[in-house]
């Protein structure tokens, strides 16, 4: 996954990019209430298993960008989608910032504004349509048949749609026309 210079925070910051209300909006959202308590110690990043193997994913930096008001840079950052939601950061933050939940809030906001990777769009659309996150190609189904394997169980998209009702990602996806 690549990240553009502007979304990585490497480009010089322009005053027009700053949204001073962003951090206060975040303090009112479930999971990111304590974002202003972050004093940038870097413990979250140093313990993050994803950051260990990535040159660009840094939860501390994302939180810093949000504190500065760089709404678009945070929400358009490709690295946002690398978080594995393991909660190691949350467990280790000396300030009690729920870092993993903050990342979830960023993701929800990104989805609301239509900024998320195409692959998730496709997976969610397949899930809503077939009950499976991956649309199994016809060729593969035929191959199973030729090898005398039993047919795959049918997905239940109706149940999936019901279970996912109210999930922001799905709602956002439907709003942006990524799924029916
Ligand atoms: S561990 Fe907590 S206080 Fe330290 S940088 Fe991460 S969020 Fe901020
Ligand atoms: S929840 Fe995400 S940011 Fe936190 S340690 Fe795990 S991978 Fe890193």
């Amino acid at each position: 996954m690549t990240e553009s210079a502007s979304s990585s925070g490497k480009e010089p910051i322009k005053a027009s990019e700053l949204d001073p209300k962003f951090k206060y909006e975040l303090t009112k959202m479930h999971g990111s209430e304590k974002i202003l308590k972050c004093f940038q110690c870097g413990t979250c990043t140093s313990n993050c298993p994803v950051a260990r193997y990535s040159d660009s994913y840094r939860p501390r930096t994302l939180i810093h960008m949000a504190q500065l008001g760089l709404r678009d840079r945070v929400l358009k950052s490709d690295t946002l989608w690398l978080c594995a939601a393991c909660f190691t950061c949350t467990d280790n933050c000396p300030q009690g910032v729920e870092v993993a939940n903050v990342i979830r809030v960023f993701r929800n906001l990104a989805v609301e504004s239509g900024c998320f990777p195409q692959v998730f769009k496709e997976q969610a659309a397949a899930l809503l349509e077939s009950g499976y996150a991956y649309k199994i190609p016809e060729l593969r189904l035929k191959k199973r048949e030729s090898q005398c394997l039993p047919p795959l169980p049918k997905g239940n998209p109706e149940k999936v749609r019901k279970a996912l009702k109210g999930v922001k990602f799905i709602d956002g996806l439907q709003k942006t026309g990524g799924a029916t």
Side-chain angles (χ1 to χ4, degrees):
M1 197 178 284
T2 56
E3 189 183 26
S4 67
S6 62
S7 67
S8 69
K10 287 171 192 160
E11 289 264 306
I13 297 169
K14 295 183 192 122
S16 57
E17 283 183 86
L18 301 173
D19 178 352
K21 289 188 200 144
F22 187 41
K23 59 185 176 193
Y24 299 115
E25 283 171 28
L26 291 167
T27 61
K28 293 191 185 98
M29 291 177 191
H30 180 60
S32 56
E33 296 94 336
K34 297 182 195 154
I35 193 165
L36 296 183
K37 292 198 171 178
C38 170
F39 55 16
Q40 292 292 302
C41 67
T43 305
C44 50
T45 293
S46 62
N47 283 296
C48 173
V50 175
R52 204 172 302 153
Y53 294 100
S54 161
D55 290 335
S56 53
Y57 183 64
R58 301 287 180 264
R60 179 197 66 79
T61 308
L62 286 168
I63 289 181
H64 193 207
M65 285 157 67
Q67 288 177 330
L68 291 173
L70 293 165
R71 181 196 290 263
D72 281 356
R73 288 201 194 202
V74 172
L75 304 189
K76 287 182 182 165
S77 171
D78 289 345
T79 67
L80 205 53
W81 302 93
L82 293 177
C83 170
C86 68
F87 285 78
T88 308
C89 48
T90 301
D91 291 340
N92 287 286
C93 174
Q95 289 293 86
V97 180
E98 295 177 59
V99 188
N101 280 332
V102 173
I103 303 293
R104 175 185 51 77
V105 169
F106 290 160
R107 284 177 172 180
N108 282 339
L109 291 172
V111 169
E112 274 175 23
S113 58
C115 306
F116 56 103
Q118 180 66 19
V119 63
F120 295 143
K121 240 181 238 189
E122 287 165 7
Q123 279 185 341
L127 195 61
L128 294 171
E129 193 190 313
S130 66
Y132 286 105
Y134 170 67
K135 208 170 176 187
I136 300 157
E138 202 59 35
L139 202 66
R140 192 142 159 225
L141 295 174
K142 281 199 179 126
K143 198 170 178 195
R144 281 183 68 88
E145 216 178 298
S146 70
Q147 292 176 342
C148 298
L149 289 167
L152 291 173
K154 282 241 175 287
N156 192 334
E158 232 168 82
K159 266 195 180 168
V160 170
R161 281 198 285 267
K162 205 170 162 192
L164 294 178
K165 202 164 189 273
V167 173
K168 277 194 172 182
F169 176 78
I170 301 294
D171 289 349
L173 194 64
Q174 286 173 323
K175 256 186 240 161
T176 54
T180 49

